[in-house]
Amino acid sequence: YGSYPVNLSLTSTPAEAPVARRPRWLKRGMGIGIMSLALVALGLVWRCERGLSAARQLSARRQWEAARERIEAYLWLHPASDEGRGLLAEILVKNESIPQDQAIPQAIDLLRSLPSSSPRALDARLRAANLELLVLFHPMRAERILKEATAAQPDSLPAWFALWKLLDLTGRS
Protein backbone atom coordinates (compact mmCIF):
# COMPACT_ATOMS: atom_id res chain seq x y z
CA TYR A 1 0.00 0.00 0.00
CA GLY A 2 2.67 2.50 -0.83
CA SER A 3 4.66 4.35 1.79
CA TYR A 4 1.87 4.50 4.40
CA PRO A 5 1.96 1.87 7.13
CA VAL A 6 -1.05 -0.38 7.18
CA ASN A 7 -2.66 -1.01 10.53
CA LEU A 8 -5.03 -3.93 10.38
CA SER A 9 -5.80 -4.11 14.08
CA LEU A 10 -9.42 -3.74 15.12
CA THR A 11 -8.52 -1.16 17.76
CA SER A 12 -7.16 1.47 15.38
CA THR A 13 -8.67 4.94 15.52
CA PRO A 14 -9.28 7.34 12.65
CA ALA A 15 -6.57 9.61 14.07
CA GLU A 16 -4.00 6.96 13.26
CA ALA A 17 -5.19 6.69 9.67
CA PRO A 18 -2.98 8.34 7.06
CA VAL A 19 -4.04 11.84 5.99
CA ALA A 20 -3.67 12.93 2.41
CA ARG A 21 -1.97 16.32 2.23
CA ARG A 22 -2.87 19.02 -0.23
CA PRO A 23 -0.05 20.60 -2.16
CA ARG A 24 1.17 23.92 -0.81
CA TRP A 25 0.40 25.76 -4.05
CA LEU A 26 -3.24 24.62 -3.84
CA LYS A 27 -3.60 25.97 -0.31
CA ARG A 28 -2.10 29.30 -1.33
CA GLY A 29 -4.28 29.49 -4.43
CA MET A 30 -7.42 28.83 -2.41
CA GLY A 31 -6.40 31.47 0.12
CA ILE A 32 -5.76 34.05 -2.59
CA GLY A 33 -9.07 33.19 -4.25
CA ILE A 34 -11.02 33.56 -1.02
CA MET A 35 -9.32 36.87 -0.23
CA SER A 36 -10.03 38.17 -3.75
CA LEU A 37 -13.67 37.18 -3.46
CA ALA A 38 -13.94 38.91 -0.07
CA LEU A 39 -12.40 42.10 -1.48
CA VAL A 40 -14.80 42.13 -4.42
CA ALA A 41 -17.75 41.59 -2.06
CA LEU A 42 -16.55 44.42 0.19
CA GLY A 43 -16.18 46.69 -2.83
CA LEU A 44 -19.73 45.96 -3.97
CA VAL A 45 -21.15 46.56 -0.50
CA TRP A 46 -19.20 49.82 -0.22
CA ARG A 47 -20.48 50.97 -3.62
CA CYS A 48 -24.06 50.09 -2.66
CA GLU A 49 -23.74 51.89 0.68
CA ARG A 50 -22.67 55.06 -1.10
CA GLY A 51 -25.60 54.70 -3.51
CA LEU A 52 -28.02 56.99 -1.67
CA SER A 53 -25.70 59.98 -1.49
CA ALA A 54 -24.42 59.36 -5.01
CA ALA A 55 -27.98 59.14 -6.34
CA ARG A 56 -28.85 62.44 -4.63
CA GLN A 57 -25.85 64.12 -6.25
CA LEU A 58 -26.60 62.65 -9.67
CA SER A 59 -30.25 63.65 -9.52
CA ALA A 60 -29.25 67.19 -8.54
CA ARG A 61 -27.23 67.23 -11.79
CA ARG A 62 -30.22 65.73 -13.64
CA GLN A 63 -28.38 62.54 -14.59
CA TRP A 64 -31.43 60.37 -14.12
CA GLU A 65 -30.19 57.06 -15.55
CA ALA A 66 -27.01 57.02 -13.45
CA ALA A 67 -28.98 58.10 -10.38
CA ARG A 68 -31.49 55.32 -10.97
CA GLU A 69 -28.74 52.70 -11.22
CA ARG A 70 -27.13 53.88 -7.98
CA ILE A 71 -30.36 54.06 -5.98
CA GLU A 72 -31.47 50.65 -7.21
CA ALA A 73 -28.13 49.21 -6.06
CA TYR A 74 -28.65 50.89 -2.68
CA LEU A 75 -32.19 49.51 -2.43
CA TRP A 76 -30.90 46.04 -3.24
CA LEU A 77 -28.88 46.26 -0.03
CA HIS A 78 -31.49 48.25 1.96
CA PRO A 79 -34.94 47.36 0.57
CA ALA A 80 -36.79 48.92 3.53
CA SER A 81 -35.22 52.37 3.19
CA ASP A 82 -38.02 54.94 3.07
CA GLU A 83 -35.67 57.66 1.87
CA GLY A 84 -34.32 55.43 -0.88
CA ARG A 85 -37.78 54.45 -2.12
CA GLY A 86 -38.88 58.09 -2.12
CA LEU A 87 -35.82 59.13 -4.10
CA LEU A 88 -36.34 56.32 -6.61
CA ALA A 89 -39.95 57.42 -7.09
CA GLU A 90 -38.79 60.98 -7.74
CA ILE A 91 -36.17 59.77 -10.22
CA LEU A 92 -38.74 57.63 -12.05
CA VAL A 93 -41.11 60.56 -12.42
CA LYS A 94 -38.44 62.97 -13.66
CA ASN A 95 -36.61 60.56 -15.97
CA GLU A 96 -37.94 61.20 -19.46
CA SER A 97 -36.18 58.22 -21.02
CA ILE A 98 -38.59 55.82 -19.29
CA PRO A 99 -42.11 55.62 -20.75
CA GLN A 100 -44.44 57.43 -18.35
CA ASP A 101 -47.07 54.70 -18.51
CA GLN A 102 -44.51 52.41 -16.84
CA ALA A 103 -42.71 54.88 -14.59
CA ILE A 104 -45.66 56.64 -12.94
CA PRO A 105 -47.47 53.52 -11.65
CA GLN A 106 -44.15 52.17 -10.38
CA ALA A 107 -43.47 55.47 -8.60
CA ILE A 108 -46.94 55.46 -7.05
CA ASP A 109 -46.44 51.88 -5.83
CA LEU A 110 -43.12 52.87 -4.27
CA LEU A 111 -44.67 55.87 -2.54
CA ARG A 112 -47.62 53.86 -1.25
CA SER A 113 -45.32 51.11 0.03
CA LEU A 114 -44.00 53.37 2.77
CA PRO A 115 -45.53 52.32 6.09
CA SER A 116 -47.88 54.76 7.83
CA SER A 117 -45.51 54.85 10.79
CA SER A 118 -42.75 56.37 8.67
CA PRO A 119 -42.01 60.07 9.13
CA ARG A 120 -42.04 60.40 5.32
CA ALA A 121 -45.42 58.68 4.92
CA LEU A 122 -47.55 61.83 4.71
CA ASP A 123 -45.34 63.44 2.08
CA ALA A 124 -45.28 60.18 0.12
CA ARG A 125 -49.09 59.89 0.20
CA LEU A 126 -49.48 63.50 -0.95
CA ARG A 127 -47.05 62.95 -3.81
CA ALA A 128 -48.81 59.71 -4.82
CA ALA A 129 -52.20 61.45 -4.79
CA ASN A 130 -50.83 64.30 -6.93
CA LEU A 131 -49.47 61.78 -9.44
CA GLU A 132 -52.78 59.91 -9.54
CA LEU A 133 -54.78 63.09 -10.05
CA LEU A 134 -52.58 65.34 -12.17
CA VAL A 135 -50.67 62.82 -14.29
CA LEU A 136 -52.89 59.74 -14.55
CA PHE A 137 -56.22 61.63 -14.17
CA HIS A 138 -57.64 59.23 -11.58
CA PRO A 139 -59.46 61.41 -9.04
CA MET A 140 -61.08 58.47 -7.23
CA ARG A 141 -57.72 56.80 -6.59
CA ALA A 142 -56.26 60.11 -5.47
CA GLU A 143 -59.18 60.58 -3.09
CA ARG A 144 -58.63 57.10 -1.63
CA ILE A 145 -54.94 57.87 -1.04
CA LEU A 146 -55.75 61.20 0.60
CA LYS A 147 -58.37 59.58 2.84
CA GLU A 148 -55.72 57.06 3.94
CA ALA A 149 -53.37 59.96 4.70
CA THR A 150 -55.96 61.84 6.75
CA ALA A 151 -56.92 58.65 8.61
CA ALA A 152 -53.29 57.96 9.47
CA GLN A 153 -52.58 61.57 10.51
CA PRO A 154 -55.86 63.35 11.31
CA ASP A 155 -54.15 66.62 12.26
CA SER A 156 -52.38 67.00 8.91
CA LEU A 157 -53.44 70.28 7.36
CA PRO A 158 -51.79 69.61 3.93
CA ALA A 159 -53.64 66.29 3.54
CA TRP A 160 -57.01 67.82 4.46
CA PHE A 161 -56.38 70.79 2.17
CA ALA A 162 -55.45 68.51 -0.75
CA LEU A 163 -58.58 66.40 -0.13
CA TRP A 164 -60.74 69.53 -0.01
CA LYS A 165 -59.22 70.82 -3.28
CA LEU A 166 -59.76 67.42 -4.91
CA LEU A 167 -63.41 67.34 -3.86
CA ASP A 168 -63.81 70.94 -5.03
CA LEU A 169 -62.20 70.09 -8.38
CA THR A 170 -64.60 67.19 -8.90
CA GLY A 171 -67.62 69.24 -7.80
CA ARG A 172 -68.23 67.35 -4.55
CA SER A 173 -67.08 69.88 -1.92
Side-chain angles (χ1 to χ4, degrees):
Y1 288 129
S3 62
Y4 296 111
V6 177
N7 187 356
L8 297 176
S9 73
L10 296 175
T11 60
S12 68
T13 61
E16 296 173 2
V19 177
R21 293 183 171 238
R22 290 190 178 125
R24 187 176 297 168
W25 63 269
L26 184 62
K27 287 181 185 178
R28 286 184 183 155
M30 286 174 41
I32 291 171
I34 290 171
M35 290 297 288
S36 299
L37 199 60
L39 285 174
V40 167
L42 276 172
L44 286 173
V45 168
W46 180 73
R47 186 171 193 268
C48 289
E49 280 294 331
R50 292 191 54 240
L52 184 62
S53 62
R56 273 196 218 111
Q57 292 170 355
L58 290 167
S59 65
R61 287 184 258 152
R62 300 183 188 280
Q63 296 176 352
W64 306 119
E65 281 301 316
R68 181 177 176 208
E69 289 174 9
R70 296 306 287 269
I71 196 66
E72 284 177 345
Y74 175 80
L75 286 172
W76 177 76
L77 196 60
H78 302 285
S81 171
D82 297 341
E83 190 174 359
R85 287 187 279 179
L87 183 59
L88 179 58
E90 179 182 341
I91 290 169
L92 286 171
V93 169
K94 292 181 178 180
N95 189 355
E96 294 176 356
S97 66
I98 303 171
Q100 292 299 306
D101 61 332
Q102 296 172 2
I104 299 298
Q106 187 179 358
I108 291 171
D109 290 341
L110 282 167
L111 292 170
R112 292 197 68 189
S113 70
L114 270 65
S116 296
S117 60
S118 169
R120 302 179 195 293
L122 180 64
D123 182 50
R125 300 292 188 275
L126 290 173
R127 288 169 47 192
N130 283 336
L131 288 173
E132 284 284 4
L133 178 65
L134 301 174
V135 178
L136 297 180
F137 309 113
H138 296 141
M140 300 305 285
R141 291 184 193 168
E143 181 180 350
R144 189 175 328 119
I145 293 170
L146 289 171
K147 285 184 178 180
E148 289 173 9
T150 56
Q153 295 183 1
D155 58 341
S156 168
L157 188 59
W160 283 109
F161 181 74
L163 182 59
W164 173 68
K165 290 305 286 180
L166 172 71
L167 292 174
D168 187 43
L169 181 69
T170 57
R172 297 180 290 145
S173 61

